Amino acid sequence: MVTQRGETILMSNVGYILNSDGSQTFTIVLNDNSTVDDVTKVSFAKVSATGIGAAPTATESGVYAKVVDGSISVSGCNIGDKALIFASDGRLMKQSMLDDGNTVIDVSSFAPGGYLLRIGKTTVKFQKK
C-alpha cells in the first residue's frame, strides 16, 4: 500500500490497522511494532519486495524513465545534463551526457536487478529484468 505521503508499505509487513471511532486518520502498525501515524488514505499497487516500483516512473521534476528491451528512454531533461546509473550497492555503472530531450541509454549488458538513474538532483529507481 502507498500512503498519502508517498510511503510504500509492503502488505507482508503490516500487522494491523488502528482507527478510533470518529477519527479522520488511522495508524498502520507494522510487524516490528513500529507505526505509520496520521494516515488519511492509502492506495494499493503491485510492487516487488525490493521496494522498487514498476517502470515507468515519473518524478515531480518531469524526469521520466522506463526500462524497454535493455534500454532506458529518458525524456524531460536538458541537453548537456549528465545521467549517472548506479547499482544498488552504490557502484557507478554508467554515465552519459544527454544530447536532447529524449535519450536512450543502453543497459543491456547490466545484470538483472535494481538500479538508480540520477540526473541532476533527481533520482529514479528502475529494475533491469
Side-chain angles (χ1 to χ4, degrees):
M1 74 176 71
V2 181
T3 70
Q4 80 276 5
R5 293 183 295 268
E7 300 163 291
T8 300
I9 304 166
L10 297 176
M11 291 301 295
S12 60
N13 293 337
V14 175
Y16 51 94
I17 297 173
L18 294 173
N19 184 2
S20 298
D21 289 341
S23 176
Q24 298 296 317
T25 65
F26 57 94
T27 298
I28 300 169
V29 180
L30 304 177
N31 292 333
D32 65 0
N33 290 325
S34 63
T35 61
V36 180
D37 299 312
D38 299 321
V39 178
T40 58
K41 81 175 188 179
V42 295
S43 58
F44 294 90
K46 186 174 182 179
V47 296
S48 70
T50 63
I52 297 174
T57 302
T59 64
E60 290 179 9
S61 67
V63 175
Y64 180 80
K66 63 182 179 177
V67 177
V68 180
D69 296 324
S71 65
I72 301 173
S73 299
V74 180
S75 61
C77 299
N78 298 315
I79 296 172
D81 283 350
K82 187 187 295 186
L84 303 169
I85 299 177
F86 296 92
S88 59
D89 64 2
R91 287 178 296 130
L92 177 63
M93 299 296 292
K94 189 169 200 167
Q95 63 181 353
S96 300
M97 294 299 282
L98 303 179
D99 52 8
D100 61 27
N102 293 312
T103 301
V104 176
I105 302 172
D106 181 26
V107 295
S108 61
S109 63
F110 291 12
Y115 294 89
L116 298 172
L117 167 65
R118 186 171 72 199
I119 301 171
K121 294 182 180 180
T122 302
T123 301
V124 177
K125 300 177 203 176
F126 71 93
Q127 179 107 15
K128 168 69 169 59
K129 294 186 181 187

